[in-house]
Amino acid sequence: MRLFVLFSSVLILWACSKERVKNCEEESLKDLATYPIGAAFDLDEYNPALADKFRFHFNRLTPSNALKFRSLKPSRQGHYQWQKADSLVGIAKSYHARIHGHTLVWHRQNPSWLPDYKGDYKTLLQSHIDSVLSRYRNDIHSWDVVNEALNDDGSLRSSIWLRKLGADYIYLAFKAAADADPGSELFYNDYNLAFAPKKLDAALALCSGLRKRGIDVAGIGMQMHVGLGFPDIQELTTAVEKIWKAGFKVHFSELDVSVNIYGNKKVISNEDLDEQREKFYQVVSVYNQVPRQYQFGITTWGVGDADSWLPAFFDRIDAGLLFDEAYRPKPAYCGFKNALQ
Ligand code: XIL
């Protein structure tokens, strides 16, 4: 009898969870959420299907490449190339979406002329930040000022900025941003913060240190490029709590859930997609626990699998987002949506 009860409850549970997926009607995520729901894309990926999906579900845009140093200033002598970034700003505004600026200082996607620059790197860093923030002062009110400055063990990552300016480049960048646009919300952004405690502690120490030096750091971006097996939800909860308890807003800034993190799968199964749905559900549920004043929002790194960076960047099949190659909602969408309700 007991076995029968157990068996039927398992069956009922299973049936319910399947049912939820089947009846998962598409409703606007931004309308369901009590915090901003963002997505990253760039002009190169922009197409009518993406545009429709973005407009319906999202109220924040992070340009995935257009605001990086290499995109804006490809040639040293030439002027800044604002066209793509300007277009994206225009698109976001036409959808009444806010824009999150990504990113001012990073070790990657710098102009090819940067290593051979003969001038003063400190002035260059400051004037770059000043140029970008001044141009977008009326349109972009939050920035990832420094991206990925730390190794997983908490030490500073080697980068051209560290080599040229020493550890203080981080302060210099935040100071330049704060001076150029005092009204802007400034973020430190990095990956693996959910499960590399030394890296997280170093990020917190760095941001607290900046605050002590008078910089009003708004928050920390946890990129959240995660996979089916990780992070452990308890670990994620602890990491998130550490951030807001230290007084920083939390941004899940680049969320995607890889279904092929090791690159060994040749096909993606329905089981993978169901597991992914559960992962999105858990991740959003953890985010819901953040007190409202520390919720900056959740941003997915792309809109649909057609525009995801994962397959091209890691050279593997993958499907990390809420919408599929044709921008139809996936089980992942249901997981995200169910967590919002
Ligand atoms: C990615 C872009 O999406 C790709 O188009 C580009 O080729 C490489 O960079 N962490 C970040 C983002 O902070 O800027 C990266 O974006 C993804 C990883």
Side-chain angles (χ1 to χ4, degrees):
M1 177 65 183
R2 225 188 275 155
L3 206 66
F4 173 75
V5 172
L6 184 72
F7 181 67
S8 41
S9 357
V10 168
L11 253 186
I12 288 167
L13 268 177
W14 180 80
C16 288
S17 72
K18 287 286 167 211
E19 202 54 33
R20 271 200 320 197
V21 179
K22 262 200 273 169
N23 292 334
C24 177
E25 267 174 39
E26 191 170 358
E27 289 176 80
S28 165
L29 295 175
K30 65 177 178 188
D31 291 349
L32 292 170
T34 52
Y35 43 78
I37 301 291
F41 64 81
D42 248 297
L43 218 49
D44 304 345
E45 294 114 26
Y46 193 59
N47 66 68
L50 180 152
D52 273 0
K53 250 335 85 140
F54 180 82
R55 188 176 18 209
F56 186 63
H57 288 290
F58 299 92
N59 50 14
R60 175 181 281 141
L61 165 68
T62 304
S64 26
N65 290 301
L67 291 167
K68 291 170 179 171
F69 199 5
R70 186 194 292 168
S71 309
L72 290 175
K73 193 88 167 62
S75 98
R76 184 155 75 84
Q77 265 75 34
H79 295 293
Y80 271 83
Q81 304 289 312
W82 302 112
Q83 302 86 326
K84 280 191 177 179
D86 283 358
S87 302
L88 286 167
V89 167
I91 289 168
K93 282 170 79 172
S94 73
Y95 298 157
H96 307 289
R98 52 196 107 187
I99 305 147
H100 179 66
H102 173 85
T103 176
L104 298 167
V105 180
W106 192 21
H107 66 285
R108 301 187 55 232
Q109 288 181 265
N110 283 314
S112 54
W113 52 264
L114 189 63
D116 307 319
Y117 184 62
K118 294 285 175 283
D120 176 36
Y121 278 86
K122 181 174 164 186
T123 314
L124 176 68
L125 181 94
Q126 289 167 329
S127 81
H128 171 61
I129 291 173
D130 187 59
S131 305
V132 181
L133 266 65
S134 304
R135 183 171 187 91
Y136 295 114
R137 192 178 288 132
N138 295 326
D139 299 317
I140 304 185
H141 305 297
S142 61
W143 284 94
D144 292 333
V145 178
V146 175
N147 196 32
E148 303 180 353
L150 296 164
N151 294 311
D152 281 8
D153 67 2
S155 58
L156 282 177
R157 176 197 291 278
S158 166
S159 81
I160 182 149
W161 300 112
L162 183 68
R163 288 191 295 276
K164 298 290 180 188
L165 297 173
D168 225 33
Y169 85 87
I170 298 173
Y171 170 77
L172 292 173
F174 273 89
K175 176 83 173 93
D179 287 349
D181 184 2
S184 193
E185 291 194 280
L186 308 180
F187 282 77
Y188 174 73
N189 194 55
D190 214 326
Y191 61 91
N192 290 0
L193 296 177
F195 50 91
K198 286 187 177 156
K199 190 178 204 175
L200 176 61
D201 288 347
L204 286 165
L206 194 138
C207 293
S208 303
L210 289 167
R211 277 198 176 159
K212 285 202 190 94
R213 292 174 78 181
I215 308 286
D216 184 15
V217 179
I220 295 187
M222 305 177 80
Q223 292 186 4
M224 296 293 290
H225 296 294
V226 300
L228 295 183
F230 73 98
D232 170 80
I233 288 310
Q234 193 45 54
E235 251 178 348
L236 174 62
T237 308
T238 307
V240 166
E241 278 180 12
K242 266 191 175 177
I243 297 176
W244 67 257
K245 285 187 175 163
F248 296 105
K249 290 187 181 180
V250 182
H251 185 198
F252 284 179
S253 57
E254 305 186 11
L255 175 62
D256 47 28
V257 178
S258 167
V259 291
N260 191 16
I261 201 88
Y262 301 113
N264 53 348
K265 290 180 189 163
K266 298 286 169 259
V267 283
I268 292 159
S269 67
N270 287 337
E271 287 73 38
D272 291 333
L273 295 179
D274 275 346
E275 215 179 316
Q276 185 187 46
R277 164 178 155 261
E278 188 58 29
K279 198 64 171 185
F280 269 107
Y281 179 83
Q282 291 174 340
V283 165
V284 176
S285 301
V286 170
Y287 195 78
N288 292 337
Q289 303 305 312
V290 175
R292 194 173 270 236
Q293 71 267 35
Y294 297 114
Q295 286 176 327
F296 188 71
I298 300 183
T299 301
T300 60
W301 204 245
V303 175
D305 291 336
D307 59 271
S308 167
W309 73 303
L310 293 172
F313 193 84
F314 294 106
D315 192 22
R316 65 185 188 220
I317 58 160
D318 216 324
L321 293 168
L322 305 179
F323 303 97
D324 69 11
E325 295 280 337
Y327 293 95
R328 288 170 303 223
K330 293 162 58 187
Y333 164 79
C334 306
F336 197 116
K337 177 188 141 174
N338 284 334
L340 292 177
Q341 283 172 326

